[in-house]
Amino acid sequence: MSDYDKKDASQSALSLKGERNVHWNQDISYGQYLDLEPLLSCQRPRSDVHDEMLFVIIHQVSELWLKQCLHEAHAAANNIMVDELRPALKMLTRVARIQEQMIQAWEVLVTMTPADYISFRDSLGQSSGFQSYQYRELEFLLGNKHPGLVEVHRSHPKN
């Protein structure tokens, strides 16, 4: 590396000198607070096909968003029951924004061709996104209470 490159690299490096908001000695780190170690170990594709990781992550993120939607929708329903409409509206607006976010995430999935998907589909067995327990719970909470929709969960009532 030339002297010019060394000087240029040192000038572009981020300096934390005098930074008081970066806490290296702390009770809990970012990763610990978010419990990232188990979260990031949940991606276990069943094949060696590269695109399966994308498929797994998109669906796991969708389930996390559904979890937040349920958190908001249950709280909104409770607020509506006690005639607290302003916070309920805020919560339902948040659900709508999350749904927009979820729809946008599918734009990443369309980078996978049908042939890419077929290359690992057999490793999924009979599983399908239509089996999402949280999706059904949200659907029921928002009014679609068709009893036939829960049949898919008969053999796995907890998920």
Side-chain angles (χ1 to χ4, degrees):
M1 185 181 281
S2 71
D3 286 338
Y4 176 78
D5 290 333
K6 288 177 187 174
K7 182 179 177 187
D8 188 49
S10 69
Q11 288 176 343
S12 66
L14 176 64
S15 171
L16 297 177
K17 185 178 179 183
E19 180 59 55
R20 294 181 185 177
N21 293 324
V22 177
H23 304 285
W24 303 115
N25 296 322
Q26 55 203 352
D27 293 334
I28 188 167
S29 71
Y30 172 83
Q32 289 167 324
Y33 175 74
L34 295 176
D35 212 4
L36 290 179
E37 191 172 325
L39 179 66
L40 297 177
S41 67
C42 290
Q43 296 70 48
R44 294 185 295 273
R46 295 175 160 248
S47 76
D48 292 329
V49 177
H50 175 82
D51 285 338
E52 188 178 359
M53 180 66 87
L54 172 64
F55 187 83
V56 168
I57 288 175
I58 290 279
H59 286 82
Q60 287 179 339
V61 168
S62 293
E63 289 295 328
L64 288 170
W65 278 130
L66 284 170
K67 183 175 184 174
Q68 184 64 35
C69 284
L70 286 165
H71 178 71
E72 299 295 340
H74 281 292
N78 290 335
N79 276 283
I80 290 168
M81 285 192 282
V82 295
D83 204 30
E84 293 288 335
L85 302 183
R86 189 175 302 262
L89 179 60
K90 178 182 177 184
M91 293 165 188
L92 293 174
T93 299
R94 186 172 290 158
V95 169
R97 296 298 177 271
I98 291 169
Q99 289 174 331
E100 290 172 9
Q101 183 73 31
M102 291 172 71
I103 290 166
Q104 280 303 115
W106 290 100
E107 290 298 314
V108 178
L109 196 60
V110 300
T111 64
M112 185 186 310
T113 67
D116 294 333
Y117 175 65
I118 292 298
S119 68
F120 65 85
R121 177 60 182 102
D122 285 345
S123 65
L124 305 178
Q126 297 297 314
S127 66
S128 165
F130 291 110
Q131 297 167 335
S132 169
Y133 181 84
Q134 290 190 123
Y135 181 83
R136 292 294 173 227
E137 183 181 350
L138 185 61
E139 193 173 48
F140 272 48
L141 181 62
L142 297 178
N144 187 11
K145 296 183 173 152
H146 189 285
L149 295 175
V150 296
E151 279 301 305
V152 71
H153 302 289
R154 186 170 19 118
S155 61
H156 302 284
K158 297 288 184 191
N159 56 13

